[in-house]
Amino acid sequence: GNIINNLVPVDYSHLENVCPLSPVKVTSTTSLTSCSVSSLVGTEAIKSDILGGEWQPKNCTSRFLVAIIVPYRAREKHLHKFLSFMHRFVQSQNIHYKIYVIEQSTQKEFNRGKLFNIGFLEALKEKPFPCFIFHDVDLLPENSNNMYACTETPRHLSAAIDKFGYSPPYYRNFGGVLSILSHQFSLVNGFSNKFYGWGGEDDNFYNRLRSALIRPVRFDYSVSRYCTLPHEQEKPNENRHNLLKLSSNYVLEGLNSTKYTVIQRSDEPLFAKIVVDL
Ligand code: BGN
């Protein structure tokens, strides 16, 4: 069937010259079958069109407006590859997007969920983004039909990752890359802020969606393919099983209780950078 049928556009009914839906062919984009360096193109050529991580098609009005939130700390090589690949990829889909890199200061263990909440809050201060993509920095999409836009319910974009043999590690896994409409993210009160260290925050988020009777979707595994940029395994959070049991009441804690301090903010050529203390 047509996998892009249920994408939710912005209200473009009053607009003229709306961009076509199907991905356009960008001649300089090489198709990616593994995250090998050689297949990744340089960033120099695309810099001029992008301002502080934001881009939109020039010759037509995009149907989609998307904030891409990338939690980050000390993965400079990954970030470089991610940006050089991702801009071209999303541009080929004619999407109006902005990439936010939310960098956690050296203080405390890494907290992926809380960084997502911060990205959501900070992006909405700038523009009323109707759609968000929450994205790990070490994952690159392999199929140009994997649209970087929102479906009617949240979507697990990275269902088929190379290191898990191109299928989900378990049925309810919701890690890696996901898209969600902003109002649905608010409805479930975002991510939990409590998961410091690796693991569990994505399972907690999945539970929040299910408690709110929101059923996530996936595109076909042939479309949801990603390759992983290699890195050391993160140290698992030893308390994650407990947290997962305790934090089932999503109304109490999450987006509405995210406390943080912005310590640096800058428009880099390819991304908006926000450094935070948690
Ligand atoms: C799971 C992690 C997820 C992670 C996947 C894939 C937990 C919670 C305790 C059961 N969940 O085990 O966070 O996305 O592995 O790596 O650790």
Side-chain angles (χ1 to χ4, degrees):
N2 189 349
I3 54 157
I4 53 186
N5 268 346
N6 62 345
L7 295 174
V8 181
V10 293
D11 177 17
Y12 60 90
S13 51
H14 59 295
L15 301 174
E16 287 176 14
N17 190 26
V18 174
C19 298
L21 252 187
S22 47
V24 289
K25 289 265 176 293
V26 178
T27 44
S28 49
T29 303
T30 43
S31 78
L32 190 70
T33 50
S34 78
C35 286
S36 64
V37 197
S38 58
S39 61
L40 297 170
V41 285
T43 50
E44 291 71 24
I46 48 172
K47 263 182 192 160
S48 56
D49 293 349
I50 305 164
L51 261 179
E54 183 171 2
W55 181 91
Q56 59 182 307
K58 275 201 210 65
N59 303 319
C60 56
T61 306
S62 181
R63 292 163 197 257
F64 309 110
L65 173 61
V66 181
I68 300 172
I69 309 296
V70 184
Y72 175 81
R73 182 161 73 187
R75 290 269 183 90
E76 222 180 310
K77 282 190 184 135
H78 284 181
L79 184 59
H80 182 80
K81 284 180 192 169
F82 176 84
L83 292 166
S84 64
F85 182 78
M86 202 52 72
H87 279 293
R88 261 169 220 277
F89 182 87
V90 188
Q91 285 173 14
S92 78
Q93 300 180 339
N94 269 332
I95 288 167
H96 181 182
Y97 67 92
K98 178 161 180 169
I99 298 180
Y100 290 87
V101 172
I102 316 298
E103 178 171 345
Q104 185 179 335
S105 66
T106 52
Q107 203 203 47
K108 302 187 183 174
E109 294 280 291
F110 195 66
N111 188 329
R112 179 175 180 266
K114 189 166 178 181
L115 293 172
F116 281 148
N117 285 345
I118 294 169
F120 181 83
L121 294 166
E122 292 294 320
L124 285 181
K125 287 180 187 168
E126 294 187 349
K127 254 195 180 80
F129 291 100
C131 168
F132 278 76
I133 292 184
F134 297 105
H135 210 306
D136 282 352
V137 72
D138 60 350
L139 289 174
L140 302 182
E142 295 183 19
N143 188 315
S144 55
N145 288 315
N146 197 0
M147 294 296 291
Y148 270 45
C150 282
T151 36
E152 283 157 20
T153 63
R155 177 163 56 104
H156 191 211
L157 274 75
S158 60
I161 300 179
D162 56 356
K163 71 171 175 190
F164 300 127
Y166 289 112
S167 67
Y170 50 94
Y171 182 71
R172 291 179 174 74
N173 178 260
F174 209 46
V177 186
L178 70 97
S179 70
I180 185 167
L181 290 167
S182 309
H183 71 87
Q184 289 169 349
F185 191 73
S186 299
L187 190 78
V188 301
N189 203 8
F191 277 81
S192 168
N193 299 303
K194 291 186 173 171
F195 287 78
Y196 286 89
W198 181 90
E201 82 294 335
D202 49 352
D203 303 308
N204 172 276
F205 187 68
Y206 183 88
N207 293 343
R208 286 170 179 242
L209 295 172
R210 296 311 304 264
S211 315
L213 304 178
I214 297 173
R215 185 181 284 274
V217 297
R218 285 177 176 139
F219 284 171
D220 199 89
Y221 294 169
S222 64
V223 174
S224 318
R225 287 169 72 94
Y226 280 77
C227 64
T228 320
L229 296 165
H231 59 83
E232 313 257 293
Q233 180 65 49
E234 300 285 335
K235 195 171 120 279
N237 169 4
E238 252 136 50
N239 198 27
R240 67 194 192 284
H241 298 92
N242 279 331
L243 278 172
L244 205 50
K245 269 183 236 142
L246 294 173
S247 57
S248 54
N249 193 344
Y250 64 86
V251 183
L252 295 178
E253 181 265 324
L255 194 58
N256 69 355
S257 57
T258 304
K259 302 211 165 39
Y260 61 101
T261 317
V262 174
I263 56 176
Q264 192 205 323
R265 179 177 200 123
S266 54
D267 274 351
E268 303 296 326
L270 298 181
F271 62 98
K273 178 180 183 177
I274 303 178
V275 186
V276 289
D277 265 346
L278 306 190

